[in-house]
Structure formats: structure tokens, C-alpha cells
Amino acid sequence: MLDGTSHTPQPPHHTLPPRLPDHAGRRPADGEIPGDGTAPGGAEGAATGADGDPGAGLRRSSLLMAVGTVVSRATGLIRLVLQAGALGTGLLATTYNMANVIPMSVYTLMIGGALNSVLVPQLVRARTEHPDGGRAFEQRLVTLVLSVLAVGTVLAVWAAPQIVAVYTSDTPGNHAAFALTVVFARFLLPQIFFYGLFFILGQVLNARHKFGAMMWTPVLNNVVLITMFGLYLGLLAGPDRIADITPGQVDFLGTVTTCGIAVQALALIPFVRAAGFRFRPRFDWRGSGLRKSIGAARWTLLLVLANLAAMTVVTHFAGAADQQSPTGGVGYTAYNYVQSIWMLPQSIVTVSLVTALLPRMSRAVAERRLDDMRADLSRGLRISGVLIVPAAFFFVALGPQTAQLLFAHGAVDAASAVPAGQMLQALGLGLIPFSAQYLLLRGFYAFEDTRTPFRAALCIAVVNIGLAAACHLWLPTRWAVIGMAAAYAVAYGAGLLFTAVLLRRRLDGRLDGRRLCRTYGKLALAAAVAGVLGRLVAGAGSGVPVPAGWTAVPALAAGALTMALAFVLLARVLKIAELRSIPGLR
């Protein structure tokens, strides 16, 4: 993913990898940002809008937290472009990318899923109810997490061949790729420990209302990887075939990639010390309240297992496409890169909103103020939709031009970038249910209900596996993974419907459905018309003569500008009030 951690074709909120964790704290008054009177990042008075609108405070706090995320994603995008240019989108790149997925997968399976979705409410409760402000609970929790991670990392490095075999088979025709993936995995699996260190220290900071460091330290990892791929691309003359890569190049890629994650994690230590946390190992876990956390985490573990199953199936099928077309850019790596681009709007907009919403909703549930929780959910869905819906239609309208601009460099020629553009189009509209479901699931987490999210994840996994298998069996290699991308979007549509029905029951039969449908209907109409206009203008601009390698720039720029202007104009005509949530469009 683009924030400095590895990426998998699974969603962050309840699958692999986890994105920025949800922030904990007391429930502020309406319009107030969680914290000691300051907004994340240190801005004072950002909580309340000038008109006293609580939604304005939510938008302001989310915007402030999104700034660091935007910088992280921007540097991540540069890294992704350089990575594609250095390694290509074929089988060689898949060996590296598949190995780079494994550490986050194992981390999430061991403890990451429970840490992100279950332990946040426990930290909130400990800081508000324990006489010492939750410090002993934090020390026990950090000790437990680091102990599990240390043992798990050693075992994972030892069992690297067996772990890799879960994702790709060792056959005579695929043995060279399998062996190289195992070598990469042994270099990259130590990331497990550093991922866990990063997220647990981040939660310690969040519990103290310190959000900035976790938003910005992933930039350090991206800088390390940008430097690595820049050197690899410019100085090492990287090959595009497995048979041509040297041991020195493998060592360089593996070592520096893990060092990037280590830098990202270790950079949080000065911040947690400045926030007043002093780590003292505590193994007195019995009777400390951690049993309840571990018990609640069993559903999260099952949730992770469901999504690991889906990820494994898709990875196998997409890897098979790479084996059949090693340089065609039609398999796992292209899908991996495309999902990184596709998730950008979600990462910047929705994750930042959830950062502000989860503590508010958790407190509202504890105080049985379901109307307030319902209002927060509705507001978050409507505000995020203003950017998520047009972004989804942008990918449908201009996906090919976007992929051409980002990936048709270095080891990737124009023809090899075409499948990636079509995958982006296939995923496009799935961004809307993907983002909406991310928000709705937080409603269940506010109730400390982890069983229902598991049921939703199981629904998505079953639909995704079934449709992906059909694409693998019935579609030609050239179109199989494109079909899997569309299947992923359809699976999230089913998951959103399932989740909304269950959450509506939990909220006494009301979810502000009419207002949400009306707002999203208007947004979809405006974005669809704008997308058609943008597509037409992009087609007209495709013939503009430009230097080689930049042929997509005029078309993409003209199409994107047309889409943006048309969407804003149509949104005003349709009187979409949430448009005011975008700075400068009040």
C-alpha cells in the first residue's frame, strides 16, 4: 500500500493489510476534536466550524489528519511508479511483491487484526477507568504484542518455504519463481516484528491524542524505497526475467525493503517517549483484563482467516496468469499496483473520517445515545461520498490513461500497461461499496461486536472466491485477472448490502437510509455525466503530439479537468449540500 507498508489485494479495514489504525480517546462534545483541546497536528480550535455545525468540526479534524496521509500517499505513489519501472509488471515483479505481501499477512493473522479492531476500545476504557490512566494496561499490552511478534517472526523466517507454498505452488515449471520468492521472503519476513512495533506504538500515541507521528513516519519508509528503486532503476540495470537477476540485486532489494519498515517503526520511539510513555516489560497478564481482549479477538481471527482464504485463492489465480504470460502484465503484480491506486481515495478520505468518528461512536454507544451514533455514521458516509463517488467514476472513465501515465516506463512498455488500465476500470465502481462498508463496520466495532464483521467478511470472501474461480476457469489468460477485479467490486457490493441490513437492525431499524440514498443517487448522477464528458474530452486529446513516454498526459489532464468542473457544476445544480465539505467549495 502507499503509506509505506506492503500492499495486498485485500481491504484494510478487516482484511490485509490494516491501514492506519482507528484512534482512541474520550468522546468529545459535538463538534470537538478528540484531544486536549487541540486538533491532531496541534491546530487549536479546529473542532468547531464557524457556524457551530458539528459536521464542520468533523470535517476540519479529518482534513488536518488527512494532510499527513496525503503526503504519505504522494510519496508512496512515487515509490510505486519507480517500482513498476524497475521490476516491471510481470513474473519477476510478482516474486518480489508476493514475498512482500507475506509479512503483513502473517502479522495480521498473529495479532494485527485484533490490535486494530478489538484493542482500541480496550485502550479507551483503560485510560478512562483505571486509576493510573491505563499505563499498566498499556505496558502489559505492549509486552504481550512484542513477545508474540518476536516468537512469530523467528518461526516465520524458519518456515518461509512452507508459507510461500500457501500463495504459489512449487511445480517444475514454476520452480525458479518459487525459489526466488522464498529467498525474498526470508529477507522480508522480519518486517513482521516492525509492523507490529509500528502499530502498537501508534496506538499508544493515539490513546494520548497524538495523531501526527503515525501519519507522517510512513513517509520515511517511502523515502527509503524511492531511493532503493531509483538506484536499482538507474544504476543496476535491473533485468526483467527471473533467470537474469543476480544474488546481489536480490540481497539489495530484500535488505533495503526491510530496513525501510524498520525505520518507519523505530521513528515512533522518540514520539512515544515525548508523550510520556516509558516501556517496562510486564508479564503479569493474569487478571489484567487482557483475557477479555483476547476472547473478543477470536472473531477477528476468524475474520482474518476468511480473508486470507480469499486472498490466497486470488493470489494463486493471478500468479497463474503471470506464469502463462510472464511479461504480459496480466497477473498478480499488475493487480497489486492497480489496487494501490484504486485505494488512494479511500486511504485519504474515509480513513481520516473514521479516525475522528470511532471514538465518538464508541462513547455514544456506551451512553446509549444511538441517535448520535446514527447521525455520525450518516454524516461520515455523506461527506466521504462527495469525493469517493466521483473518484470511482474517474477510474471507470480514465483508468487506461491513468495506468499508461503511471506504469508505462522503464521495464513496462505501453502494451504491458494496458491490462492494468482495464483492471482499474473493472475495480472502479467497487470503490463506493468498499468505502461505505468500511464506515459501517465501525458501527459494529463501536458496540465491541466483532462477530458481525466476521459474518460480513465471510460473505465477501465467499462471493469473491466463487467469482474469481469462475474467471480463472472460463476467461482467457488475458482477461482472467481483469474479471477478478470486477469480481472484487461485486463482492463488496454484496458485502455492503449484508452489512447495512445487520447494522440497521442493531440501530433500532433506522440507518438514515432515505437521506443516504438520495445523496448518493445525486452524487452518482453528477459523477456519471461528468465521467462521460471527461472520457470524450480525453479521447479528443489523445492525438496531441508529445515526447515518448508522456502520450497519456494531455488526454488525462484534459479529461480529469473536464470531469472535475462538470461534477462540481452538476453537484451545485442538484443541490448536494455535502459539497460544502470540500475546502474552497462552500
Side-chain angles (χ1 to χ4, degrees):
M1 69 192 204
L2 297 182
D3 62 353
T5 59
S6 63
H7 172 73
T8 81
Q10 294 299 310
H13 49 291
H14 64 264
T15 62
L16 306 173
R19 299 278 166 167
L20 295 177
D22 305 317
H23 301 294
R26 66 178 178 84
R27 198 250 190 221
D30 286 342
E32 179 190 352
I33 298 175
D36 300 322
T38 62
E44 300 281 349
T48 337
D51 55 0
D53 174 21
L58 175 59
R59 291 191 296 268
R60 187 81 60 85
S61 62
S62 298
L63 178 63
L64 288 169
M65 286 182 285
V67 171
T69 307
V70 168
V71 176
S72 178
R73 268 42 175 195
T75 53
L77 182 60
I78 296 170
R79 184 267 302 167
L80 186 67
V81 171
L82 289 174
Q83 180 177 344
L87 300 179
T89 57
L91 186 58
L92 173 61
T94 292
T95 62
Y96 171 85
N97 288 320
M98 194 174 290
N100 207 18
V101 158
I102 293 173
M104 178 59 82
S105 302
V106 176
Y107 157 73
T108 308
L109 180 62
M110 284 197 308
I111 203 165
L115 178 63
N116 283 348
S117 59
V118 176
L119 298 179
V120 172
Q122 300 296 326
L123 283 172
V124 173
R125 181 171 289 107
R127 287 191 61 80
T128 56
E129 296 180 357
H130 292 191
D132 65 348
R135 293 182 183 275
F137 182 87
E138 285 179 331
Q139 290 177 345
R140 293 186 185 101
L141 179 59
V142 172
T143 303
L144 173 64
V145 169
L146 295 184
S147 299
V148 172
L149 289 170
V151 174
T153 299
V154 172
L155 292 176
V157 172
W158 173 73
Q162 290 74 25
I163 296 175
V164 170
V166 173
Y167 296 88
T168 182
S169 56
D170 183 12
T171 64
N174 189 44
H175 179 71
F178 177 87
L180 181 57
T181 305
V182 171
V183 173
F184 273 129
R186 290 197 187 279
F187 278 106
L188 301 179
L189 280 167
Q191 293 177 13
I192 295 170
F193 182 84
F194 294 110
Y195 278 132
L197 180 64
F198 174 75
F199 283 108
I200 189 59
L201 293 183
Q203 294 295 4
V204 170
L205 286 169
N206 295 341
R208 287 165 167 72
H209 317 302
K210 306 293 184 181
F211 305 118
M214 199 172 185
M215 297 292 185
W216 286 93
T217 48
V219 175
L220 298 175
N221 176 46
N222 283 330
V223 170
V224 172
L225 296 183
I226 287 169
T227 304
M228 179 187 76
F229 287 119
L231 290 173
Y232 187 89
L233 183 62
L235 301 178
L236 299 181
D240 58 3
R241 297 190 311 159
I242 289 175
D244 297 331
I245 193 168
T246 67
Q249 291 169 329
V250 173
D251 295 349
F252 175 70
L253 290 171
T255 302
V256 178
T257 301
T258 295
C259 285
I261 300 298
V263 168
Q264 172 181 299
L266 296 174
L268 287 181
I269 293 178
F271 292 97
V272 296
R273 289 183 60 83
F277 177 76
R278 297 293 184 271
F279 176 61
R280 182 168 65 88
R282 296 192 61 157
F283 298 93
D284 53 334
W285 300 328
R286 184 183 298 274
S288 64
L290 287 174
R291 178 183 295 274
K292 179 181 178 181
S293 300
I294 296 171
R298 68 183 185 276
W299 292 110
T300 302
L301 177 61
L302 292 173
L303 179 150
V304 170
L305 287 172
N307 287 284
L308 272 176
M311 187 190 74
T312 301
V313 171
V314 172
T315 301
H316 266 290
F317 292 158
D322 276 320
Q323 294 169 30
Q324 295 175 25
S325 180
T327 59
V330 298
Y332 175 77
T333 287
Y335 188 35
N336 187 305
Y337 292 165
V338 162
Q339 278 210 331
S340 295
I341 303 303
W342 179 73
M343 286 182 178
L344 273 174
Q346 151 81 6
S347 302
I348 295 171
V349 178
T350 310
V351 170
S352 298
L353 275 170
V354 166
T355 295
L357 279 174
L358 186 61
R360 295 165 57 99
M361 293 191 300
S362 297
R363 188 68 174 177
V365 168
E367 297 175 0
R368 300 302 301 168
R369 293 182 288 103
L370 296 187
D371 286 341
D372 289 348
M373 178 187 171
R374 189 182 298 109
D376 280 339
L377 267 178
S378 175
R379 188 181 301 120
L381 285 166
R382 288 181 283 108
I383 291 174
S384 64
V386 174
L387 292 175
I388 292 296
V389 173
F393 280 90
F394 171 85
F395 292 139
V396 174
L398 301 173
Q401 292 86 351
T402 302
Q404 198 78 11
L405 175 64
L406 295 178
F407 303 133
H409 307 284
V412 184
D413 57 25
S416 298
V418 171
Q422 293 166 336
M423 291 177 197
L424 192 53
Q425 287 180 303
L427 281 169
L429 295 183
L431 184 64
I432 300 172
F434 178 75
S435 175
Q437 206 236 6
Y438 182 94
L439 277 165
L440 291 182
L441 281 182
R442 268 53 199 173
F444 293 109
Y445 290 142
F447 282 102
E448 297 189 39
D449 174 6
T450 54
R451 180 177 180 177
T452 304
F454 159 69
R455 295 167 61 191
L458 186 62
C459 170
I460 294 170
V462 169
V463 175
N464 192 24
I465 289 173
L467 293 178
C471 292
H472 173 69
L473 294 173
W474 297 334
L475 292 180
T477 300
R478 169 66 176 79
W479 296 98
V481 181
I482 296 171
M484 292 179 205
Y488 189 81
V490 171
Y492 261 88
L496 174 62
L497 179 62
F498 182 86
T499 303
V501 169
L502 294 182
L503 186 58
R504 185 174 181 269
R505 293 176 185 172
R506 194 68 181 264
L507 293 175
D508 297 335
R510 292 187 294 123
L511 197 59
D512 203 13
R514 290 185 180 179
R515 188 177 184 184
L516 288 170
C517 290
R518 183 169 60 249
T519 299
Y520 271 77
K522 291 180 179 180
L523 288 170
L525 177 60
V529 174
V532 171
L533 294 175
R535 176 81 175 185
L536 293 174
V537 171
S542 60
V544 177
V546 293
W550 299 95
T551 55
V553 173
L556 184 59
L561 180 60
T562 300
M563 245 194 107
L565 294 175
F567 174 76
V568 171
L569 177 61
L570 289 168
R572 288 187 180 278
V573 170
L574 294 172
K575 298 181 180 180
I576 301 175
E578 289 76 14
L579 190 68
R580 294 194 300 270
S581 64
I582 302 178
L585 295 180
R586 292 181 178 276

